[in-house]
Amino acid sequence: MKIDAKRTRRLREQVCRANLELVAKGLVIETFGNVSGIDRELGVIAIKPSGVDYDDLDPSAIVLVDLAGKRVSGDLHPSSDTPTHARLYREFPGIGGVAHTHSRYATAWAQARRPLPCLGTTHADYFRGTVPCTAPLSDAEIAGDYEDETAARIAEAFRRTDYREMPAVLVACHGPFTWGKDACEAVYHAAMLEYAAELAAIAIGINPRAAPARRALVDRHFL
């Protein structure tokens, strides 16, 4: 594959900044989490390398892979979640960036295997309704191509949901993935998802019978 050095440098710089934003926004600890971005015209994905501390991250460390997840440039190994990112780009052609975090509240909802209900307007400003939670993977899927199967479960959860109106998902027993027009917007949505997840946890703690907001109110804010 022929690499356009100037364009891929800009992509690497943006993806590096987006990954560092995960730390700045308190969405990750240690080396958890990763952000990727794609140049659709070149067919190249830039993603955080596996196991690299955020303090050591710079644009030169960002790995380039193709849409199949195969490394095309970079000395380090791409994130272990690369197959998930790559398949999401294939499944959702309108996205330009993907973020995966282990943020506390969103991950707690994922580990509880519960969709995140839209209880109010703060949530509705960014997500048009309930954020879906995927079905758990089977033993065979876990033992097989685990990361690709994770993306398949995400795609399955969006058969009746528009990924452009719902730029987030909770992967059962794992954590959240978000996306956007580019890597930076994917991280922004990750931050908004975490805030909505925290608010919902508090609200349900105050009133366990709290019901989702009316559709008219959700649409008024989202649209």
Side-chain angles (χ1 to χ4, degrees):
M1 176 184 292
K2 185 177 180 181
I3 299 295
D4 184 321
K6 186 175 182 180
R7 283 174 60 171
T8 55
R9 182 173 64 251
R10 288 198 300 266
L11 182 62
R12 276 180 158 135
E13 289 170 351
Q14 182 190 67
V15 168
C16 182
R17 287 196 305 272
N19 274 281
L20 295 176
E21 273 292 295
L22 293 182
V23 180
K25 293 180 183 297
L27 299 173
V28 295
I29 62 170
E30 299 297 334
T31 61
F32 290 164
N34 41 72
V35 185
S36 68
I38 188 171
D39 186 314
R40 291 277 181 184
E41 188 175 334
L42 294 178
V44 170
I45 300 165
I47 192 166
K48 179 181 178 286
S50 179
V52 172
D53 193 282
Y54 287 95
D55 288 340
D56 299 325
L57 194 64
D58 62 42
S60 67
I62 300 298
V63 185
L64 299 181
V65 301
D66 62 19
L67 270 166
K70 181 180 179 181
R71 184 172 57 182
V72 297
S73 180
D75 298 326
L76 300 173
H77 292 291
S79 167
S80 59
D81 291 307
T82 296
T84 307
H85 287 244
R87 182 157 181 174
L88 288 178
Y89 287 120
R90 300 195 303 270
E91 295 277 355
F92 301 158
I95 66 175
V98 174
H100 171 49
T101 78
H102 288 254
S103 61
R104 181 172 298 175
Y105 282 90
T107 300
W109 281 89
Q111 292 185 354
R113 305 183 196 179
R114 286 195 57 185
L116 178 63
C118 182
L119 300 181
T121 60
T122 305
H123 177 129
D125 282 339
Y126 302 98
F127 311 104
R128 194 180 186 185
T130 298
V131 177
C133 184
T134 66
L137 294 173
S138 68
D139 288 351
E141 289 166 334
I142 294 169
D145 195 344
Y146 169 69
E147 288 79 13
D148 187 70
E149 293 290 356
T150 295
R153 277 285 191 262
I154 294 172
E156 181 181 281
F158 279 78
R159 294 301 178 216
R160 293 184 177 86
T161 301
D162 189 335
Y163 68 86
R164 292 161 295 191
E165 296 181 344
M166 182 58 63
V169 69
L170 304 173
V171 175
C173 308
H174 188 175
F177 281 81
T178 56
W179 45 85
K181 65 185 178 183
D182 55 27
C184 294
E185 186 174 69
V187 171
Y188 182 70
H189 286 152
M192 294 304 100
L193 177 66
E194 176 63 8
Y195 189 56
E198 182 177 4
L199 287 180
I202 294 170
I204 290 173
I206 296 169
N207 177 12
R209 299 186 201 176
R214 297 180 67 86
R215 184 68 183 195
L217 183 63
V218 173
D219 287 352
R220 175 66 183 253
H221 277 260
F222 183 84
L223 298 175

